[in-house]
Amino acid sequence: MASPTPRSDRPPRYAAPLASGARSGALLAAATAASIIGAYVFLLAAGRILGSEEYGSLAALLGLLTIVLIPAGALQMAVSREVSRRVAAGDADSAARLARGALRAAAIATAPLLIVALALAGPISHLLHIDSVGVVVLAVLALSTALVFPLAMGVLQGLQRFPALASLYVLPWL
């Protein structure tokens, strides 16, 4: 039986209901603000608690982690673009396959990243003049989510799941 509505005018079968752009934007702005405030409070407390020498070590480790995480941000944007493009084209199954594959690849790629980082914990500790290798190991363990977390955020953004995305903005500071 022929459908009275042309196929191209129908919404994608599995598309998520679209939230208001203003509401989603406000939600992400609030989550970003909470994340910035959380980072500020963390750095302020760390500076007060650790003192200047230990805070310098923390700053060096955070800088090193930032360098590692910058490419993950690019992956996040690429996954978000591809997932949203596929959902908009009505191919939710392909978007779901892409999301699962990207997250699986990120989890698999995390293992060698951690092995190399843990092997370099001693030299990094020496290079950055950090007395405790254990502190460097603890910072390196933060890399266990360095690829999966941004890709998960990209998938959520591509699927327009803004409440879940906003919670991932704030989660690291809780």
Side-chain angles (χ1 to χ4, degrees), residues 72 75-77 79-80 83 99-100 102-104 106-107 145-161 164-166 168-169:
L75 289 174
Q76 174 185 344
M77 288 186 282
V79 167
S80 174
V83 168
R100 282 191 306 273
L103 291 170
R104 183 176 34 256
T145 63
L147 296 176
V148 176
F149 193 78
L151 286 180
M153 291 175 71
V155 169
L156 291 173
Q157 187 175 7
L159 294 174
Q160 298 184 18
R161 311 284 180 171
L165 180 63
L168 286 183
Y169 276 19

Side-chain angles (χ1 to χ4, degrees), residues 74-149:
L75 289 174
Q76 174 185 344
M77 288 186 282
V79 167
S80 174
R81 180 192 66 225
E82 285 304 310
V83 168
S84 65
R85 185 181 64 78
R86 292 173 188 205
V87 168
D91 195 0
D93 293 337
S94 175
R97 279 192 307 276
L98 173 68
R100 282 191 306 273
L103 291 170
R104 183 176 34 256
I108 291 169
T110 297
L113 176 68
L114 277 176
I115 290 169
V116 169
L118 287 171
L120 294 174
I124 289 171
S125 175
H126 180 70
L127 178 70
L128 298 177
H129 304 288
I130 298 172
D131 296 331
S132 172
V133 175
V135 171
V136 175
V137 167
L138 186 62
V140 163
L141 290 177
L143 292 175
S144 62
T145 63
L147 296 176
V148 176
F149 193 78

Side-chain angles (χ1 to χ4, degrees), residues 18-97:
L18 297 178
S20 144
R23 187 174 27 161
S24 298
L27 179 64
L28 291 179
T32 301
S35 178
I36 290 168
I37 291 168
Y40 177 75
V41 168
F42 168 75
L43 292 173
L44 184 64
R48 301 275 180 176
I49 293 168
L50 296 176
S52 63
E53 185 175 329
E54 287 84 12
Y55 184 77
S57 297
L58 174 67
L61 286 172
L62 291 176
L64 185 63
L65 288 174
T66 300
I67 291 169
V68 172
L69 293 176
I70 287 173
L75 289 174
Q76 174 185 344
M77 288 186 282
V79 167
S80 174
R81 180 192 66 225
E82 285 304 310
V83 168
S84 65
R85 185 181 64 78
R86 292 173 188 205
V87 168
D91 195 0
D93 293 337
S94 175
R97 279 192 307 276

